[in-house]
């Protein structure tokens, strides 16, 4: 096995390793870094190169993906994530939020109305998350899906859990009011999948008359007494002072075109996300597993 064969197994490459991997001189690598042309990060003063990012960089240059006919607006569409919202602001990533559910995010991504779509859509049949074919994104030949986090989803209840809710079965056997998300939201797809696996018919539940359009809206409806429970992430429960009953661990990913990965908003976000502050914030919010953050899950 050559040295070049060995480095491809490392998640982060040194300058010497990335030079060997790309068959370039180290001096050329430093030039590319100085010009901001190659993805890199600096840890305790040492340059490191995420291998997944280098692979994407190579494919982007060799394949020559077609640029869209107009500039893609710097918008994050799709599903909301509290940690992602915070990270974008802290990183100065200059992305506007237009989070109306995973389904809406997919449509805006296909129409080049958003740079990035946050997705957490489960395939009822396989139990897998964010499969491009299931999402209707298989036709995007330059689609890239980057992992953000695993998140704990569960039932939010009022402090002290006055209705004694323990599991989804309690929602069908008592008249508690259940807050719910819009049908295009990944949380709604997950909720219906969890009900189906427990043999619960959704019509047996006492849903509130109007859908909550975000995690915060759902949490507030419970906090303010308009609903008794609903499915959302643990971070939303903590942020609004609610109790939480964990039910399921899900996958939250970021979908984009390959060229967008190298745009300034995404590079700022990912550079910030690799730092310790994000992990400290995730621990404080609760319900996050960042062990695979920024890994490339799909590269068309």
């Amino acid at each position: 096995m050559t040295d070049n064969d060995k480095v491809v197994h490392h998640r982060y490459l040194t300058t010497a390793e990335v030079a060997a991997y790309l068959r370039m001189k180290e001096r050329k690598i430093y030039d590319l870094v100085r010009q901001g042309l190659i993805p890199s990060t600096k840890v305790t003063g040492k340059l490191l190169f995420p291998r997944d990012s280098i692979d994407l960089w190579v494919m982007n240059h060799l394949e020559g993906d077609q640029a869209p006919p107009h500039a893609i607006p710097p918008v994050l569409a799709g599903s909301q994530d509290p940690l992602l919202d915070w990270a974008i602001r802290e990183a100065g990533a200059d992305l506007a939020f237009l989070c109306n559910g995973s389904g809406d995010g997919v449509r805006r991504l296909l129409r080049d109305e958003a740079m990035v779509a946050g997705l957490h859509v489960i395939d009822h049949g396989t139990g897998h998350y964010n499969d491009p074919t299931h999402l209707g994104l298989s036709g995007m030949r330059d689609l890239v899906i980057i992992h953000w986090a695993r998140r704990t989803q569960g039932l939010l209840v009022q402090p002290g859990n006055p209705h004694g809710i323990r599991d989804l079965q309690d929602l069908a056997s008592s008249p508690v009011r259940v807050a719910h998300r819009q049908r295009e939201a990944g949380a709604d797809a997950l909720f219906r999948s969890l009900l189906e696996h427990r043999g619960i018919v959704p019509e047996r539940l006492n849903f509130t008359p109007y859908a909550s359009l975000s995690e915060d809206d759902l949490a507030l409806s419970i906090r303010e007494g308009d609903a008794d429970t609903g499915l959302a992430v643990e971070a939303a429960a903590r942020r609004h002072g609610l109790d939480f009953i964990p039910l399921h661990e899900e996958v939250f990913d970021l979908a984009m075109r390959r060229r967008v990965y190298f745009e300034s908003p995404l590079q700022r976000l990912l550079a910030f996300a690799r730092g310790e502050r994000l992990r400290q914030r995730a621990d404080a919010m609760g319900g996050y597993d960042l062990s695979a953050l920024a890994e490339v899950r799909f590269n068309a």
Side-chain angles (χ1 to χ4, degrees):
M1 180 181 290
T2 68
D3 290 341
N4 193 53
D5 293 328
K6 292 176 183 177
V7 300
V8 298
H9 299 294
H10 300 169
R11 185 174 177 188
Y12 292 96
L13 307 181
T14 65
T15 305
E17 288 171 339
V18 80
Y21 188 38
L22 298 178
R23 293 177 173 84
M24 295 179 178
K25 295 184 181 297
E26 286 188 48
R27 184 175 61 188
K28 179 61 175 177
I29 300 300
Y30 284 118
D31 286 343
L32 291 170
V33 170
R34 187 172 62 254
Q35 297 171 57
L37 297 178
I38 191 169
S40 64
T41 187
K42 186 169 285 189
V43 179
T44 63
K46 181 179 180 180
L47 276 173
L48 291 176
F49 302 81
R51 181 176 56 80
D52 286 342
S53 298
I54 296 300
D55 289 339
L56 282 173
W57 182 78
V58 171
M59 287 192 69
N60 195 47
H61 283 74
L62 292 181
E63 188 175 327
D65 294 334
Q66 291 294 317
H70 56 82
I72 301 176
V75 169
L76 168 73
S79 290
Q80 178 197 21
D81 176 69
L83 181 64
L84 179 61
D85 294 355
W86 176 84
I88 287 172
R89 291 192 296 270
E90 291 295 310
D94 294 331
L95 284 169
F97 298 96
L98 190 59
C99 298
N100 295 319
S102 294
D104 183 71
V106 166
R107 284 197 300 276
R108 292 185 185 278
L109 194 67
L110 286 168
R111 297 195 300 246
D112 290 326
E113 295 175 355
M115 279 189 168
V116 191
L119 307 173
H120 62 123
V121 179
I122 190 170
D123 183 331
H124 296 287
T126 65
H128 296 160
Y129 272 91
N130 305 326
D131 176 77
T133 301
H134 180 67
L135 291 167
L137 291 173
S138 57
M140 286 181 65
R141 73 177 185 88
D142 58 344
L143 174 68
V144 171
I145 297 179
I146 306 295
H147 180 65
W148 178 249
R150 297 187 70 90
R151 314 188 304 178
T152 304
Q153 287 268 10
L155 293 175
L156 279 59
V157 295
Q158 293 165 355
N161 193 7
H163 296 279
I165 297 169
R166 295 162 299 174
D167 195 77
L168 289 174
Q169 197 64 48
D170 293 328
L171 310 189
S173 58
S174 67
V176 293
R177 298 162 298 166
V178 181
H180 59 101
R181 297 293 305 282
Q182 68 272 36
R183 287 303 297 265
E184 292 192 327
D188 182 75
L190 173 61
F191 190 39
R192 292 176 184 277
S193 179
L194 293 175
L195 291 173
E196 180 181 338
H197 278 85
R198 286 164 173 77
I200 302 171
V201 179
E203 286 72 23
R204 292 175 57 192
L205 274 56
N206 180 25
F207 287 113
T208 54
Y210 303 107
S212 299
L213 299 181
S214 71
E215 301 269 352
D216 283 329
D217 287 346
L218 188 142
L220 281 170
S221 71
I222 297 167
R223 182 68 185 177
E224 294 174 357
D226 296 325
D228 301 310
T229 188
L231 187 80
V233 294
E234 182 176 349
R238 288 200 187 190
R239 182 152 66 178
H240 294 278
L242 299 171
D243 287 356
F244 183 75
I245 303 163
L247 295 178
H248 179 80
E249 191 175 72
E250 67 168 10
V251 175
F252 193 97
D253 293 326
L254 302 175
M256 66 201 75
R257 294 191 180 275
R258 190 153 40 235
R259 285 181 178 273
V260 165
Y261 180 87
F262 299 99
E263 296 286 341
S264 175
L266 263 297
Q267 285 301 302
R268 286 184 189 175
L269 172 63
L270 293 175
F272 177 81
R274 295 184 183 105
E276 186 59 29
R277 281 188 65 206
L278 186 85
R279 281 154 179 78
Q280 292 172 351
R281 183 71 173 189
D283 289 343
M285 284 184 164
Y288 285 102
D289 176 356
L290 304 182
S291 58
L293 187 147
E295 284 188 2
V296 178
R297 290 296 173 88
F298 182 84
N299 182 15

